[in-house]
Amino acid sequence: MATKKQIILPIAVLVGGIALAAGFSSMKQPPEEKPEQDTRPLVSADVVHLDAITLDVKSYGVVKAKDHTQLVAQVAGQVVYVSEQFVQGGFVKQGDILARIDPNDYEAALIEAQAGLAQASSALEIERAQAHVAQAEWDRIKDDSNELIPSNLYLRKPQLAEKLARYHAAQASEKRASRNLERTYIKAPYDAIISARDISLGSVVSLGSKFGELSSTSIAEIRLPVADKELQYLTNGGIGATVTINAEFAGKPTTWQASVVRSEGVIDQTSRMSYLVAQVKTPYASKQPLRFGSYINATISGRSLDNAIVVPHHLVKDNKIAVLNDDLTLSFKTLNIVREQNGMIIADAGLNEGQQLITSALEFPTEGMQVKLNDSPAPSGATQLALKEE
């Protein structure tokens, strides 16, 4: 039989274990509750503003005169006069005498031609009088004549025709001599700037000798190359468009206004560009003249868009852009893209005034995604990729 000690000892150990477990249990603290975390992506957004914009087209070119003329001698002789304005870079008006060829021989030729014309005129008048006498004589004797019709020779018609022809030839000789005398004057055909002078006082010139070159200051022209795909942004192919010209004058940026007057109508075989021609009236009339030979940059005014938006190219993927809704959800809008230029996209449909455009990078954006708005101001120009490539 078990002794009392054998019975009491296990019971005591069991009771002690239970008491110890109860003591440890009373010392145990419940786990600390952690606050619930917001796992929504943080985004930045900009308000959409729709504006009226113009689809300008950039180009360049060199300023040239619309009219450029070589002055050549139409008669031969020695140069006896040269104008002080007839120097390279000099400005002349239409009709100004630039040089004179010795007129003595041509004045003599004119006097001789005028004398010949006077003789021919006198002979013609005498012959007309003789023809009139012959006609009167025939009228007097025709009733007694056996001939019903007088001969042309009797009425002096061939003689009259000969004198008339000589008179016309004398007229032509007088006109030619007068014109040659006038050609001894070398005159400016229009308001111009002298590009070159090739003769000096005392030079002997022959028919066709070059006197110099001049360029009209009435109108300047610039050929503006435009890529074929850029023509879609111009109204009427650019004809009539306003052009803003930028160049330097005396080291300072200067602006002029021009207008496109025509298209050359072909594609250049070398550059594969179409060319528009712009004109500037009286380029030398202002205090800051648009000088011939200047290299210029040009902005051609294109089609107008009334409600357009310009957004960075990296915010758009597959013509879609992410916007932030009022309930802080993300949605995609499809843009009607009109143009892509200089890292920007121009669209005329797809967004409304006041919508918020998401400008932050999102790893995997989905339609209806919950996001939270970053209220801190974003640094200027620090927009990021909104629709990140997977």
Side-chain angles (χ1 to χ4, degrees):
M1 293 180 66
T3 64
K4 290 182 179 182
K5 184 178 180 179
Q6 291 175 328
I7 296 173
I8 293 173
L9 184 59
I11 294 173
V13 172
L14 178 61
V15 172
I18 293 173
L20 184 60
F24 285 144
S25 177
S26 63
M27 295 174 62
K28 182 179 179 181
Q29 295 181 356
E32 182 179 355
E33 294 185 0
K34 296 182 179 180
E36 184 177 353
Q37 294 184 352
D38 188 353
T39 59
R40 294 177 300 167
L42 183 66
V43 299
S44 297
D46 288 336
V47 178
V48 173
H49 295 290
L50 303 182
D51 296 310
I53 66 171
T54 302
L55 301 177
D56 295 335
V57 174
K58 303 294 184 180
S59 189
Y60 55 89
V62 177
V63 182
K64 296 183 179 181
K66 179 184 178 183
D67 296 309
H68 184 82
T69 303
Q70 283 192 351
L71 299 174
V72 297
Q74 294 179 284
V75 293
Q78 186 179 36
V79 178
V80 295
Y81 168 77
V82 176
S83 170
E84 293 182 357
Q85 283 73 38
F86 191 24
V87 291
Q88 188 168 356
F91 289 92
V92 294
K93 295 291 185 180
Q94 182 178 8
D96 284 355
I97 297 175
L98 306 180
R100 182 83 192 273
I101 297 172
D102 186 1
N104 289 329
D105 291 342
Y106 300 100
E107 289 173 347
L110 177 59
I111 293 173
E112 185 178 357
Q114 288 172 339
L117 178 61
Q119 291 177 348
S121 177
S122 176
L124 178 61
E125 290 301 321
I126 293 172
E127 190 58 45
R128 282 174 175 168
Q130 291 178 344
H132 180 71
V133 171
Q135 182 67 49
E137 182 66 18
W138 169 256
D139 292 339
R140 187 179 63 83
I141 68 173
K142 66 180 178 180
D143 294 337
D144 299 332
S145 175
N146 294 329
E147 297 182 7
L148 297 177
I149 300 175
S151 66
N152 289 335
L153 186 61
Y154 179 84
L155 296 179
R156 303 190 64 83
K157 289 184 178 180
Q159 296 89 327
L160 181 60
E162 178 188 4
K163 294 299 188 292
L164 184 61
R166 289 183 178 180
Y167 174 75
H168 287 160
Q171 275 187 320
S173 296
E174 192 270 343
K175 186 176 182 179
R176 186 180 303 110
S178 178
R179 186 175 63 246
N180 285 341
L181 180 60
E182 180 64 23
R183 286 173 174 172
T184 61
Y185 292 97
I186 308 302
K187 298 181 180 180
Y190 39 66
D191 294 352
I193 181 173
I194 305 300
S195 304
R197 195 186 86 177
D198 299 313
I199 56 94
S200 297
L201 187 65
S203 298
V204 177
V205 297
S206 58
L207 189 65
S209 294
K210 187 176 177 182
F211 268 75
E213 300 178 10
L214 46 79
S215 301
S216 172
T217 55
S218 298
I219 297 177
E221 287 192 341
I222 309 105
R223 295 176 72 236
L224 302 174
V226 177
D228 190 65
K229 65 178 182 179
E230 295 284 289
L231 292 176
Q232 63 181 307
Y233 307 123
L234 302 176
T235 303
N236 193 28
I239 306 300
T242 300
V243 182
T244 300
I245 295 173
N246 297 291
E248 285 194 353
F249 177 79
K252 296 181 180 180
T254 310
T255 301
W256 297 267
Q257 295 298 313
S259 178
V260 176
V261 296
R262 69 180 185 275
S263 168
E264 293 188 352
V266 297
I267 296 178
D268 186 85
Q269 295 299 311
T270 303
S271 64
R272 307 307 301 168
M273 293 278 196
S274 298
Y275 281 85
L276 301 177
V277 178
Q279 289 185 351
V280 179
K281 295 183 178 180
T282 59
Y284 281 87
S286 67
K287 293 181 179 180
Q288 297 175 321
L290 180 60
R291 295 166 294 182
F292 297 145
S294 299
Y295 181 85
I296 59 93
N297 292 309
T299 302
I300 307 172
S301 178
R303 293 192 291 115
S304 297
L305 300 178
D306 293 331
N307 296 301
I309 182 173
V310 181
V311 296
H313 186 279
H314 61 260
L315 297 181
V316 181
K317 179 182 178 182
D318 298 331
N319 292 358
K320 294 182 180 294
I321 195 166
V323 298
L324 181 64
N325 299 320
D326 293 338
D327 59 356
L328 297 182
T329 59
L330 178 149
S331 63
F332 297 106
K333 301 295 182 182
T334 301
L335 298 179
N336 182 38
I337 297 176
V338 177
R339 189 180 194 180
E340 299 182 25
Q341 185 184 40
N342 299 329
M344 306 298 287
I345 282 180
I346 301 174
D348 63 353
L351 294 176
N352 297 322
E353 179 73 23
Q355 284 185 309
Q356 296 199 71
L357 183 66
I358 295 178
T359 59
S360 300
L362 295 174
E363 194 70 25
F364 300 105
T366 58
E367 183 74 26
M369 171 189 288
Q370 291 284 337
V371 296
K372 59 182 177 180
L373 183 63
N374 183 8
D375 295 329
S376 61
S380 177
T383 54
Q384 300 177 353
L385 179 63
L387 302 180
K388 188 174 180 181
E389 297 281 356
E390 294 184 7

